[in-house]
Amino acid sequence: MKNCLRIPRVLIPRDGFEKWAVIACDQFTTDREYWKRVEQCVADAPSTLRFILPEVYLGEEDEERIAAIRENMYAALEEDQLSKLTRGLVFTERTTRTGIRRGILACIDLEEYSAEKGVVAPIRASEEVVPARLAPRIEERRKAPLEFPHAVLFYHDKKDRAVKMLLREELEQLYDFDLMEGGGHLTGWFVPQLLAEEIVQLLHTRGEPTFAVADGNHSVAAAKAYWEELKPTLKKEELSRHPARFMLTELVNLYDPAIVFYPIHRLMKEVETEAFCDFFMKNVKCRREGNVLIPALPAGAEGVRRTDELCEAFVRVNGGTIDYVHGDKELARRAAEEGCAGVKLAAMEKGDFFPALKEGDSFPKKTFSLGEAKEKRYYLEGREISYD
């Protein structure tokens, strides 16, 4: 079995964790008020807000924003804002609405990852990657000295051996604080190298794939694309150890009790509501509640794929746009607006996740969500990805 993981030297802030940690850039993409509140909360304090390009601002002075990200990273290094730990893992506990989610921060080897359809790899993308979304993420990574990723990967271990081992240890606590904007509570402990090596072996459970991206598919795909771009410029002896070959991620057991799959519903906007509902119901048996259709389709990839095919076919002929909505109440509220209609999808089962990725397959985009937006990963830990 290939070793897909590396033990990193992690960077964390010296203090001020509450303002340092901000939520993943691909959340609250239409809620500028959320990001304005984050900016007000952070003010002039050191923060990972300076290292990211929130997607709500994509298309607005991207070049200038990305250049500022690089400058801010170098400034953080020069001003000694960061503490570099010795080689080891970080064990985390995140309190969310569904319970305490436990994770292990380690580096994945991007040589063992693939998002290409039909390619069997130990580390797989779980959803289809949209090439157009990669460009700004790749550009952020070019010439950047550091990475502060938000990607979460699943491993599968029904016995939960790695977490049980860590819970028995007396580990050094690194941080313990409330996340801003109602993100819950986060605690982290340092896992020294000797113990970390045992943990890494336990994470490599049998099965195809061994690991799969649960959240942050486009971030991992961008890191891989940048590595492929960088490889031809390196000497042979650099290929095995260059820091850009690896990416820091949080590894979470699929069977963690706090992991709950939520469906991502489809919202049709700027359409003739009755025309869309008639079209959809002629193709799929549905129950209708107001402007929300509840199709008799299986949960997971098959149901999402069929729903998307019909929504896209309608838009091609009749116009309109497709949006993605979390939560049944939010879907009902927005579907009731003029020119809108919703399609309510079912949540997939945990046991269907890894089998659906065999033979290099993947889920359609926006198939599932791990909790609500506030429960997504916050940026905190980082690492160096260049020799500058």
Side-chain angles (χ1 to χ4, degrees):
M1 185 182 298
K2 289 185 177 179
N3 184 359
C4 305
L5 306 178
R6 295 294 183 275
I7 300 171
R9 292 197 65 183
V10 170
L11 298 169
I12 60 171
R14 295 194 179 280
D15 50 35
F17 288 95
E18 292 82 358
K19 294 187 177 183
W20 177 266
V22 301
I23 205 163
C25 67
D26 58 353
Q27 299 304 306
F28 301 100
T29 56
T30 59
D31 188 351
R32 288 176 180 263
E33 290 305 313
Y34 175 91
W35 289 100
K36 286 180 181 177
R37 292 196 304 273
V38 172
E39 290 169 4
Q40 291 169 356
C41 174
V42 168
D44 295 328
S47 175
T48 54
L49 181 62
R50 318 293 181 208
F51 306 152
I52 64 169
L53 173 53
E55 288 191 6
V56 71
Y57 301 126
L58 273 180
E60 301 176 11
E61 302 177 335
D62 289 354
E63 288 186 14
E64 292 85 349
R65 290 179 184 272
I66 291 171
I69 287 170
R70 293 191 195 111
E71 292 174 6
N72 292 335
M73 286 181 175
Y74 280 112
L77 290 169
E78 292 166 2
E79 294 168 10
D80 202 27
Q81 296 175 7
L82 298 161
S83 173
K84 188 173 184 178
L85 306 179
T86 57
R87 199 165 298 281
L89 307 176
V90 177
F91 177 48
T92 68
E93 286 189 347
R94 171 81 177 275
T95 303
T96 69
R97 188 170 52 88
T98 56
I100 297 175
R101 185 177 74 215
R102 295 182 169 96
I104 299 166
L105 268 82
C107 281
I108 58 169
D109 184 350
L110 294 169
E111 284 289 311
E112 305 300 336
Y113 160 86
S114 180
E116 293 184 47
K117 189 172 180 60
V119 175
V120 176
I123 308 173
R124 278 289 309 174
S126 64
E127 293 188 354
E128 296 171 6
V129 171
V130 181
R133 291 185 61 192
L134 296 183
R137 298 171 185 266
I138 296 170
E139 183 60 26
E140 279 185 71
R141 209 162 173 90
R142 288 192 186 106
K143 300 181 182 178
L146 309 173
E147 67 170 2
F148 288 87
H150 71 263
V152 176
L153 271 67
F154 280 147
Y155 63 96
H156 42 120
D157 180 12
K158 288 186 177 180
K159 294 182 179 179
D160 210 14
R161 296 170 300 165
V163 166
K164 287 178 180 177
M165 179 181 284
L166 289 170
L167 290 173
R168 291 195 297 266
E169 298 288 333
E170 292 187 12
L171 303 173
E172 175 192 354
Q173 189 176 94
L174 299 173
Y175 49 77
D176 184 25
F177 67 102
D178 288 330
L179 295 159
M180 69 173 69
E181 287 290 319
H185 193 84
L186 184 62
T187 310
W189 295 268
F190 179 68
V191 182
Q193 186 167 0
L194 285 177
L195 177 58
E197 290 171 356
E198 292 185 58
I199 297 298
V200 163
Q201 293 304 313
L202 290 176
L203 295 177
H204 284 79
T205 50
R206 294 186 180 276
E208 178 206 319
T210 307
F211 304 97
V213 182
D215 202 11
N217 274 280
H218 286 83
S219 292
V220 182
K224 169 75 169 186
Y226 173 63
W227 169 238
E228 293 296 333
E229 177 185 292
L230 187 64
K231 278 165 65 175
T233 70
L234 301 176
K235 297 176 182 177
K236 186 177 180 179
E237 59 268 22
E238 293 179 303
L239 293 175
S240 65
R241 55 181 172 79
H242 194 283
R245 173 173 167 165
F246 308 98
M247 180 183 183
L248 189 64
T249 64
E250 182 177 1
L251 300 160
V252 176
N253 191 358
L254 173 66
Y255 297 101
D256 186 309
I259 291 294
V260 178
F261 284 108
Y262 293 89
I264 302 177
H265 308 304
R266 272 46 178 171
L267 177 71
M268 304 298 291
K269 300 192 296 186
E270 301 171 356
V271 298
E272 291 287 341
T273 301
E274 293 305 318
F276 171 76
C277 291
D278 288 346
F279 168 78
F280 200 97
M281 294 175 75
K282 284 178 181 177
N283 287 277
V284 175
K285 184 179 180 180
C286 295
R287 187 170 85 251
R288 182 172 178 178
E289 296 180 355
N291 288 347
V292 175
L293 303 179
I294 306 171
L297 290 170
E302 184 182 344
V304 170
R305 194 169 282 117
R306 181 59 176 150
T307 297
D308 287 348
E309 287 171 356
L310 292 173
C311 291
E312 290 163 8
F314 183 87
V315 167
R316 279 196 299 271
V317 175
N318 302 282
T321 59
I322 305 169
D323 201 356
Y324 306 92
V325 177
H326 300 254
D328 297 353
K329 290 182 179 178
E330 180 67 6
L331 178 68
R333 183 186 71 80
R334 295 184 63 181
E337 296 173 0
E338 186 177 352
C340 293
V343 182
K344 182 178 176 181
L345 297 173
M348 67 179 288
E349 297 293 330
K350 285 185 180 183
D352 296 334
F353 181 80
F354 275 96
L357 303 178
K358 284 188 174 182
E359 306 303 325
D361 207 351
S362 57
F363 294 100
K365 66 178 181 180
K366 304 290 186 182
T367 296
F368 63 90
S369 172
L370 301 179
E372 298 179 347
K374 289 181 179 180
E375 297 168 354
K376 301 298 182 178
R377 194 169 201 283
Y378 278 56
Y379 302 106
L380 197 161
E381 304 90 350
R383 59 179 284 269
E384 296 169 305
I385 58 170
S386 78
Y387 290 126
D388 290 345

